Amino acid sequence: MNLILLGPPGAGKGTQAKILTKKFAIPQISTGDILRSAVKEQTAMGLKAKSYMDSGALVPDDVVVGIVKDRLAQPDCANGFVLDGFPRTVAQADALKQMLAGLGKLIEHVLSIEVDKEDLLGRITGRRTCRSCGRGYHVAFDPPNVAGKCDECGGELYQRDDDREDTMRNRLAVYEEQTAPLIAYYKQESLLRSIKGVGSIEEIQRSILNIIEGCSV
Ligand code: AP5
């Protein structure tokens, strides 16, 4: 199953992608996670990406397209993948189409998770992320069992640099300008399904499963 999760920052793409990867044993390909790990390791790509990420801007298309091209060629993508945070521009969507054609694959569903701006701000400012395994939490909506510690690996929870309110507002503006046009793009390809992203994490997962395989959790 080859899926794209589309939606503004804080819509719940990462949260839902992690549940899908466990259920279907397919990898989550999060360009944000890959870039954050490159920044942490101070690779050449990470150093290039950092200033864009800190300001809430998009990292240049050629960098992220290269990341996804390498990742999709890995053997664990043979039975499917969940793309989380990619594509984010029409140029990235065109590049994806081309790389999948080269691999003899197709996108089966593009799920657009829709959440109002005010809810997004609340989600992002309350988000905490595990430094070790990257799992996301929310201080009120999805808290860890022990404050500050990841339930899965015991890692330290931290607040992402780009989750400050001023950067978040810029990320939302960038989404509207550069990523929202993908809704029309995928509608035209008859791949787009919209999902109401408000409700419990489980309810939203159920809506996703209803679409992708007509089953429930
Ligand atoms: P990225 O890491 O992709 O960030 P994003 O798209 O802004 O998305 P987020 O990770 O903020 O949100 P999410 O939708 O995954 O929500 P989550 O599940 O965490 O990108 C970061 C940066 O990297 C970009 O700004 C850019 O610079 C660069 N980048 C990445 N990809 C790129 C690309 N393709 N091209 C160019 N640049 C790129 O949930 C959010 C919070 O809400 C959590 O606390 C969660 O616990 C909570 N929550 C989730 N679901 C619910 C619910 N149903 N109810 C209540 N709370 C909920």
Side-chain angles (χ1 to χ4, degrees), residues 156-174:
E156 181 202 0
L157 303 188
Y158 78 108
Q159 185 165 26
R160 268 169 48 179
D161 287 345
D162 62 349
D163 280 352
R164 294 190 319 265
E165 191 167 335
D166 53 340
T167 315
M168 175 61 193
R169 288 194 186 275
N170 194 34
R171 284 164 62 201
L172 284 174
V174 167

Side-chain angles (χ1 to χ4, degrees), residues 10 12-15 31 36 57 59 85 88 92 127 137 171 199:
K13 304 180 295 295
T15 303
T31 40
R36 273 185 292 282
V59 172
R88 256 178 153 98
Q92 290 179 20
R127 171 165 55 192
Y137 293 87
R171 284 164 62 201

Side-chain angles (χ1 to χ4, degrees), residues 7-16 30-33 35-36 52-53 56-59 64 84-88 92 123-124 126-128 136-138 141-142 160 162-163 171 197 199-201 204:
K13 304 180 295 295
T15 303
Q16 296 298 334
S30 159
T31 40
D33 285 350
L35 289 165
R36 273 185 292 282
Y52 296 98
M53 296 174 80
L58 293 184
V59 172
V64 283
D84 158 16
F86 181 94
R88 256 178 153 98
Q92 290 179 20
R123 286 189 187 184
I124 289 290
R127 171 165 55 192
R128 298 295 179 268
Y137 293 87
H138 190 281
F141 308 133
D142 186 18
R160 268 169 48 179
D162 62 349
D163 280 352
R171 284 164 62 201
S200 71
I201 291 169
I204 295 159

Side-chain angles (χ1 to χ4, degrees), residues 50-123:
K50 187 173 181 342
S51 60
Y52 296 98
M53 296 174 80
D54 284 348
S55 69
L58 293 184
V59 172
D61 287 336
D62 61 325
V63 176
V64 283
V65 166
I67 291 174
V68 174
K69 196 168 183 188
D70 289 348
R71 189 62 190 86
L72 285 175
Q74 301 296 314
D76 65 338
C77 294
N79 294 327
F81 50 81
V82 183
L83 282 167
D84 158 16
F86 181 94
R88 256 178 153 98
T89 64
V90 168
Q92 290 179 20
D94 287 340
L96 176 65
K97 208 190 290 183
Q98 224 180 343
M99 63 179 103
L100 289 176
L103 293 166
K105 295 179 186 209
L106 285 173
I107 291 294
E108 285 151 71
H109 302 282
V110 179
L111 306 176
S112 170
I113 307 180
E114 297 177 354
V115 179
D116 288 344
K117 211 181 209 174
E118 285 315 308
D119 286 326
L120 293 172
L121 280 171
R123 286 189 187 184

